[in-house]
Amino acid sequence: MAKGDVVAATPKPFDPRKPLVVTNHIRRMRFEKGEITQQELADLVGVTRQTINAIEGAKYIPTLELAFRISRVFGVGVEGVFEVG
């Protein structure tokens, strides 16, 4: 290996026994989209305000279908709203 060569980091192996940590950008995106309320977002995707609140607070991970509905409201892909760490 020559001086200055870049070495790619080896990704950590996936451990299916560890719980996934899912974060989201819903709150920020609501404000970027004209400050829509949790209730307005809930109405657009067909759930309760409490569900949106729980998702924003990382107390609930949405179903795949709901994740797609939320991402479509913001005009981005699912990974634009949610991240798995």
Side-chain angles (χ1 to χ4, degrees):
M1 182 177 300
K3 184 177 179 179
D5 284 351
V6 176
V7 178
T10 304
K12 294 180 182 179
F14 174 71
D15 185 350
R17 296 167 294 177
K18 290 179 96 176
L20 293 176
V21 177
V22 178
T23 58
N24 68 77
H25 307 288
I26 295 173
R27 181 172 169 76
R28 175 182 54 80
M29 296 176 93
R30 284 193 301 108
F31 283 89
E32 290 175 355
K33 190 168 175 75
E35 298 188 24
I36 67 172
T37 65
Q38 288 180 340
Q39 185 63 59
E40 290 168 327
L41 177 58
D43 292 343
L44 289 169
V45 299
V47 298
T48 65
R49 181 199 59 78
Q50 290 85 349
T51 298
I52 298 299
N53 182 272
I55 294 169
E56 281 188 9
K59 294 180 174 98
Y60 173 73
I61 299 173
T63 64
L64 186 55
E65 179 183 359
L66 181 54
F68 274 106
R69 287 180 188 214
I70 292 168
S71 67
R72 286 184 177 169
V73 167
F74 297 117
V76 298
V78 172
E79 291 180 335
V81 180
F82 299 93
E83 293 182 25
V84 178

